[in-house]
Amino acid sequence: DEIDASGVQPVVYPFGVRAPEGMDEFARRYGVEPGENCLEHLSLYADKMDKLKTLFNDLDQNQDGRLCGTELKRFASKFYDWREPTDKQVQHIIERLDSRGDGTLSY
């Protein structure tokens, strides 16, 4: 009741941002290991191209060699507490990773 009465509003972070700056260190001090976001997860594959290709093929449901927003949503939800991200949030991920500028991700 006190929180509701104070009118404090929650802070909404952009998709893929797990917590405010400094939160990871704070959590670790109390024995909590924060989860990774989708870009951190992908960085684990940076030196393992064969595993990255396998991940890409698993996500590419129609096997056309490109990942569209719909295909990316399933993967991205893992890093959003298993909630489906909005189209806008998925588009933001694609924009950050789309090297061809065609609105899809290709291997």
Side-chain angles (χ1 to χ4, degrees), residues 1-8:
D1 291 334
E2 182 179 328
I3 293 174
D4 291 336
S6 70
V8 174

Side-chain angles (χ1 to χ4, degrees), residues 88-104:
K88 185 176 180 180
Q89 291 166 325
V90 171
Q91 186 60 37
H92 178 71
I93 294 170
I94 290 174
E95 287 170 359
R96 291 194 62 178
L97 300 173
D98 179 12
S99 62
R100 292 182 166 184
D102 65 357
T104 64

Side-chain angles (χ1 to χ4, degrees), residues 10 25 28 32 77 104:
E25 293 78 18
R28 285 187 185 104
V32 176
S77 69
T104 64

